[in-house]
Amino acid sequence: MLVHHLNGCVPYPVSSEASVSTSVTIDQELILTLSPREYLEDFADEITRKHANIEVVDGFLFRDTAFPEGGWKLKQLLQPDTCSRVKAALELDYVVILGQEETLEGDVKGVFIPFFGAGTQKLESRVSAAVLDITSRKFECQINVEAEGHAGAIFVVIVGGAAQPLTKSSAIKGLAAETGNVIDELAGSEKTRIAVVAAAAPLKEPNEPE
């Protein structure tokens, strides 16, 4: 029996806002990963659910094809021979690079009573994605999504873990929807194959200082 402080037990409305920029500046030393798996899977499930023409290739197959000798750096992926090999082997059109999700938590407002209490907490989740055209080896755009809302904070005695903030789920859904729209604009209604990987850090927004 464990005592947990649960954020998100009593959900309040969550809204998300997306912005798209054609100005993309990403450190080529950035490591590309396949984790967190849940983040990648949630994004892939959402984008294919809403866009039937988009197919997501297996992440491990993409990684082994693009980085047969390891390394997993963006600069390796951008090499002409790497892009040609990946495109030929996987019939790939785009690579979507997800920035690591950031969650900002405000202070809990309310009265705390041991083992039971209630309050509200502001939550903000930020996610981003950069869309790489595997043929031109150029980034088409970067999508940034912020989801903001409030959750009730309830203190109870439970067995198990804590809930995921609703803002994170909303942000991922918003990111997948906007990324799918961008790819549809680029490729039309044709069948499109993409790979989804994660950057080892959040992606900087355009004009964000180092």
Side-chain angles (χ1 to χ4, degrees):
M1 187 74 70
L2 299 174
V3 177
H4 285 270
H5 170 194
L6 289 186
N7 292 325
C9 297
V10 179
Y12 284 70
V14 175
S15 60
S16 64
E17 182 176 340
S19 62
V20 180
S21 174
T22 55
S23 175
V24 183
T25 303
I26 300 179
D27 184 359
Q28 294 197 11
E29 294 293 327
L30 194 68
I31 299 293
L32 304 180
T33 77
L34 294 177
S35 62
R37 290 297 300 170
E38 183 179 0
Y39 179 21
L40 296 174
E41 290 170 358
D42 287 350
F43 178 89
D45 289 345
E46 189 68 21
I47 198 171
T48 53
R49 184 178 68 83
K50 291 190 174 182
H51 300 268
N53 59 309
I54 295 177
E55 178 183 356
V56 179
V57 304
D58 180 77
F60 290 99
L61 178 60
F62 168 76
R63 186 187 66 179
D64 293 344
T65 304
F67 307 105
E69 298 179 2
W72 309 308
K73 290 186 176 182
L74 175 60
K75 66 179 182 181
Q76 296 171 258
L77 176 59
L78 295 177
Q79 292 299 311
D81 59 337
T82 302
C83 286
S84 296
R85 180 174 65 251
V86 169
K87 183 174 179 63
L90 304 180
E91 298 181 338
L92 201 69
D93 299 296
Y94 300 97
V95 177
V96 177
I97 301 174
L98 304 183
Q100 290 294 322
E101 183 263 346
E102 300 175 282
T103 298
L104 305 178
E105 298 184 355
D107 294 333
V108 175
K109 295 182 180 180
V111 179
F112 171 68
I113 304 173
F115 298 103
F116 185 86
T120 61
Q121 182 179 38
K122 180 179 179 180
L123 299 175
E124 181 178 330
S125 292
R126 300 174 181 174
V127 290
S128 56
V131 179
L132 173 67
D133 186 322
I134 205 71
T135 302
S136 67
R137 298 186 294 118
K138 296 183 182 298
F139 283 100
E140 294 289 349
C141 65
Q142 179 171 321
I143 302 110
N144 300 290
V145 174
E146 293 185 1
E148 183 179 298
H150 292 78
I154 295 181
F155 301 80
V156 292
V157 179
I158 64 166
V159 176
Q164 173 177 297
L166 293 178
T167 51
K168 181 176 180 180
S169 175
S170 177
I172 294 173
K173 288 181 178 180
L175 184 64
E178 193 61 38
T179 303
N181 292 339
V182 166
I183 291 175
D184 282 350
E185 290 179 4
L186 293 170
S189 58
E190 296 181 3
K191 193 73 175 179
T192 305
R193 288 170 63 84
I194 69 173
V196 180
V197 296
L203 300 182
K204 290 185 177 296
E205 296 188 21
N207 303 318
E208 182 180 347
E210 296 293 334

